[in-house]
Amino acid sequence: MSERRFRLVLSCPDAVGIVAAVTAGIARQGGWITEAHQYADPESGWFFMRYEVRADSLNGDIQRLEAIVTTLAERFGMTWSVTDTAFARRVMLCVSRQSHCLSDLLYRWRSGELAMDIPCVVSNHEEMRSFVEWHGIPFLCIPVPADGREAAFAALESVIEEYRVDTVVLARYMQVLPGALCDRYHGRIINIHHSFLPSFVGARPYHQAAQRGVKLIGATCHYATADLDQGPIIEQDVIRVNHHNTTDDMVRLGRDVEKSVLARGLRGHLEDRVFIYGNKTIVFG
């Protein structure tokens, strides 16, 4: 995005006048709204809003937008945040031995398709070191032995803090994170799962799918939580297969859909389009 913008996201109990109050407040300051999304959930009675405002229309002063919302937050009971597109999120990628999601995200990062900084890549194996370092990114190997998992994940948490990581992406990182880690970084750890959840759990999912004669295979991008593979879903997609497809075909096609679903889910997160509400998400396109 070449034009600097401020992003306002908020949620609160639904009520009359929220959109009018926020919009009028921005307009009084000369703010130029370039994108606006609102949604009121009829079941929960909860309201969600995402605005983008041209930064130059507020003289590049993000505090002017923050001041507008501050005056309204108590009135409407808002939870809110404002971000500046001039500052990219710091995204740590975690990978094991499968490189397809890592490769795709690094390409999208190098090409400018995903606006993010990658301070480091972490793996529990050494295989990806040369590939990652070729991109000029620090590669950290933290083995996760069966008798040393607690120490390994403590080291992983230290890396998150040391590198000031905003978001962690499990790009086919084949380790189950401890619940305490997921809780601490709630809404900041993104995982890609090799199917529509819940389905074909455990090892060799595409082999299981081939044996069952499935007609659709898919992938799910979701936030990691203490409940394994049960976190709020950000993005999903499927691809059609039939009896002509071999297991190798399904692996190849499955990897293709995993890459695209993870990239779309991460983009939505980076652009502040995803609201977590309970164990589901509201995602503005």
Side-chain angles (χ1 to χ4, degrees), residues 24 57 145 170 181 195 198 212 227 244 247:
S57 69
L170 308 179
L181 190 66
S195 66
R212 291 287 300 276
D227 296 321
H244 291 291
T247 301

Side-chain angles (χ1 to χ4, degrees), residues 83-139:
T83 55
D84 186 341
T85 62
F87 300 95
R89 303 280 176 82
R90 294 172 64 81
V91 179
M92 183 177 86
L93 307 180
C94 295
V95 65
S96 289
R97 287 191 167 104
Q98 298 183 41
S99 64
H100 56 289
C101 287
L102 173 68
S103 300
D104 184 71
L105 293 179
L106 290 180
Y107 168 77
R108 295 176 192 269
W109 164 72
R110 287 180 63 88
S111 66
E113 184 179 329
L114 284 175
M116 61 182 178
D117 291 333
I118 305 177
C120 63
V121 172
V122 173
S123 180
N124 55 325
H125 299 285
E126 285 283 353
E127 279 86 340
M128 301 299 161
R129 178 179 293 278
S130 61
F131 176 66
V132 171
E133 291 180 344
W134 180 86
H135 288 79
I137 300 172
F139 179 89

Side-chain angles (χ1 to χ4, degrees), residues 213-229:
V214 302
K215 303 301 183 263
L216 293 172
I217 56 175
T220 299
C221 177
H222 66 97
Y223 289 109
T225 64
D227 296 321
L228 180 63
D229 296 331

Side-chain angles (χ1 to χ4, degrees), residues 62-77:
I62 197 170
Q63 292 181 343
R64 290 176 64 181
L65 181 55
E66 291 172 337
I68 295 166
V69 188
T70 299
T71 61
L72 300 171
E74 185 174 354
R75 173 183 167 190
F76 291 104

Side-chain angles (χ1 to χ4, degrees), residues 8-13 46-49 69 73-74 76-81 275:
L8 164 65
V9 296
L10 64 85
S11 62
C12 60
W46 211 254
F47 177 81
F48 306 87
M49 171 184 280
V69 188
E74 185 174 354
F76 291 104
M78 294 174 176
T79 299
W80 62 277
S81 66
F275 292 74

